[in-house]
Amino acid sequence: MAKLYFRYGAMNSGKSTALMQVAHNYEENGMNILLIKPSVDSKGDKSVVSRLDIRRSVDIVADENINVYDAVHQWSKDVEKIGCVLVDEAQFMTPRQIDELLNLTIYDNIPVICYGLRTDFKAKLFPGSERLFALAHSIEELKTICRCGRKALFNARKLDGVFVFEGLQVAIDNNQEISYESLCATCYFKEIEQAAAN
């Protein structure tokens, strides 16, 4: 039976690179893959882009209203068989879309591998990630390190180079430079304390 996989990690843990390696492995063995990313992820336009500057075109860019199950069926009309569905930035998928991805494994026997963040910059679960933790057959953490050398768990947001801990969960360019840094718990909470003191 096919499974729904969730491979999560802090930013810069190599999720997109791992996704592209999996896509390559399937294709090297003569299997078709279908690549999905949510439309809210505007980085790379209609491509997945890794930190190593490796790019791959996306087959379906899913806005929040799209039925992913139906979209996969529509896309696959011209394909003999889908070996695997890969989803980048899965934290931005809606809970309903995660249910639809699960349905692909149950009713169509297609493996679905989702890559994404666990939490936002305020250490709150993304709705898509929360649903994946509830439904995924297999959950795997991809690890990266903090600037201090410890395992990074948190995604800290910077606006114009200054750490911030308030704001919308998803930040779209608003004429400020938005960046993120993966931090361990100790460094993350130190930055919260420093931000509160300023």
Side-chain angles (χ1 to χ4, degrees):
M1 183 186 110
K3 294 181 180 178
L4 174 63
Y5 299 84
F6 184 33
R7 296 177 180 168
Y8 73 93
M11 296 187 87
N12 300 324
S13 59
K15 297 179 297 297
S16 296
T17 303
L19 177 150
M20 287 189 258
Q21 180 64 53
V22 168
H24 175 77
N25 291 347
Y26 270 91
E27 290 172 336
E28 192 174 49
N29 286 293
M31 296 182 223
N32 296 306
I33 65 104
L34 185 149
L35 180 52
I36 300 172
K37 84 171 196 176
S39 61
V40 71
D41 175 31
S42 56
K43 181 182 80 173
D45 194 26
K46 293 183 180 179
S47 297
V48 169
V49 182
S50 79
R51 279 187 307 143
L52 303 178
D53 203 28
I54 303 168
R55 295 178 162 268
R56 184 178 178 107
S57 293
V58 173
D59 300 302
I60 297 172
V61 177
D63 68 38
E64 64 183 15
N65 298 314
I66 195 172
N67 181 308
V68 178
Y69 185 83
D70 291 344
V72 169
H73 279 258
Q74 182 65 34
W75 183 89
S76 65
K77 282 182 178 177
D78 299 326
V79 177
E80 186 176 319
K81 184 180 178 194
I82 299 174
C84 184
V85 171
L86 299 170
V87 183
D88 195 41
E89 303 293 354
Q91 73 273 5
F92 296 135
M93 303 297 278
T94 67
R96 176 187 51 79
Q97 289 172 327
I98 300 303
D99 290 351
E100 292 160 2
L101 291 169
L102 178 66
N103 287 342
L104 288 169
T105 70
I106 295 169
Y107 299 113
D108 298 275
N109 200 33
I110 300 171
V112 177
I113 308 174
C114 296
Y115 293 83
L117 299 173
R118 176 178 60 170
T119 57
D120 66 14
F121 74 106
K122 294 186 271 188
K124 305 284 187 198
L125 281 170
F126 285 96
S129 301
E130 183 176 15
R131 193 66 181 148
L132 279 161
F133 277 116
L135 296 181
H137 296 90
S138 175
I139 298 169
E140 177 187 349
E141 182 181 16
L142 303 178
K143 297 173 181 68
T144 191
I145 59 169
C146 176
R147 61 188 176 201
C148 70
R150 294 184 189 100
K151 180 177 130 180
L153 295 172
F154 298 96
N155 306 298
R157 179 184 289 169
K158 292 179 180 177
L159 287 182
D160 297 326
V162 177
F163 283 105
V164 294
F165 298 92
E166 295 298 325
L168 297 174
Q169 188 171 57
V170 178
I172 307 298
D173 183 16
N174 58 356
N175 297 324
Q176 291 179 300
E177 183 183 327
I178 300 167
S179 61
Y180 293 87
E181 185 176 344
S182 302
L183 298 174
C184 70
T186 302
C187 291
Y188 180 81
F189 286 100
K190 276 184 186 173
E191 292 297 345
I192 289 177
E193 289 170 10
Q194 287 181 4
N198 291 336

